[in-house]
Amino acid sequence: MFSIGLTGGIGSGKSKVADWLAEWGASVVDTDRIAHALTAPGGGAVAPLRTAFGAAAIGPDGALDRGWMRERAFADPAARQQLESVLHPLIDRAVRDEAGQARGRYLVFVVPLLVESAGKWRDRVDRICVVDCDPETQMRRVQARSGLTHDTIERIMSAQASREDRLAVADDVIVNDDATGLETLRRRVFRLHQAWSDHASGLADGRTTHG
Ligand code: ADP
């Protein structure tokens, strides 16, 4: 199935873009949503995370304490690695399961850390699409959306790939800066959706048409 890796920094607008693509008939596999589900109460990662990090890692509601885990992972690279070694195989399995069941016109993987994944995702998808946005706008959007502090958002952003690194691997770019209204964004995304749908049909027919 024709597949797109959709990425972008925190607050760039990935989720918004993915919601529209799903509405228009793409199958969307969102790795962030999968990670959240795995670490929610009753999620498959909760017990192994408790074993790895102790009871302090799990909140009274039975979910991973994300604030606690974020502090540990920032402070200690070994803890970050351990977190990844628990989460990544579980995420991978869920991603494969969902992708295997996809029946949409094409497949979109939403992967916040696609560029950081050292080639793994780049080999898995046909095209990489970057939602591009300046850091000031990212900061403003994330502050408006979440209760995270300015410092925490800045740390998250500096741990992510730079805007330049992302653009360097992009096959398609969706500009979603401060000047982009939601209607304009929707139009930009729709044009890409049409191009990808055409491409997906061409692949399904085993032929391409030029001119
Ligand atoms: P990401 O998934 O990349 O972290 P989101 O799609 O959640 O980003 O977008 C972050 C916030 O900014 C959301 O509340 C979203 O509705 C808003 N947003 C994104 N793009 C625009 C835009 N062009 N105009 C206004 N608000 C936007």
Side-chain angles (χ1 to χ4, degrees), residues 9-16 141 145 176 180-182:
I10 183 169
S12 59
K14 295 178 296 295
S15 311
K16 193 90 213 155
R141 287 188 189 140
R145 179 187 65 184
N176 187 27
T180 309
L182 282 176

Side-chain angles (χ1 to χ4, degrees), residues 83-180:
L83 172 67
E84 289 175 355
S85 73
V86 172
L87 275 184
H88 283 183
L90 294 171
I91 294 173
D92 268 359
R93 180 155 14 112
V95 163
R96 273 177 223 284
D97 285 352
E98 282 194 24
Q101 288 164 20
R103 297 288 175 267
R105 297 167 79 169
Y106 57 90
L107 192 48
V108 178
F109 295 100
V110 186
V111 189
L113 300 183
L114 184 147
V115 176
E116 294 83 340
S117 75
K120 185 181 110 182
W121 275 102
R122 278 182 246 176
D123 298 338
R124 206 187 258 188
V125 295
D126 294 303
R127 292 183 80 79
I128 293 175
C129 176
V130 169
V131 185
D132 180 56
C133 172
D134 56 279
E136 294 75 25
T137 305
Q138 282 180 266
M139 174 63 76
R140 240 189 334 274
R141 287 188 189 140
V142 178
Q143 276 182 316
R145 179 187 65 184
S146 71
L148 299 178
T149 64
H150 185 278
D151 277 4
T152 302
I153 300 168
E154 208 159 64
R155 270 195 310 178
I156 293 172
M157 283 170 57
S158 60
Q160 295 189 342
S162 69
R163 189 178 185 186
E164 293 69 31
D165 288 346
R166 273 193 213 97
L167 290 174
V169 301
D171 298 298
D172 301 298
V173 177
I174 300 173
V175 176
N176 187 27
D177 53 17
D178 199 29
T180 309

Side-chain angles (χ1 to χ4, degrees), residues 185-200:
L185 178 63
R186 189 180 155 95
R187 267 199 307 279
R188 284 180 187 155
V189 178
F190 192 69
R191 273 206 305 273
L192 259 177
H193 163 70
Q194 285 177 311
W196 291 335
S197 296
D198 289 350
H199 198 108

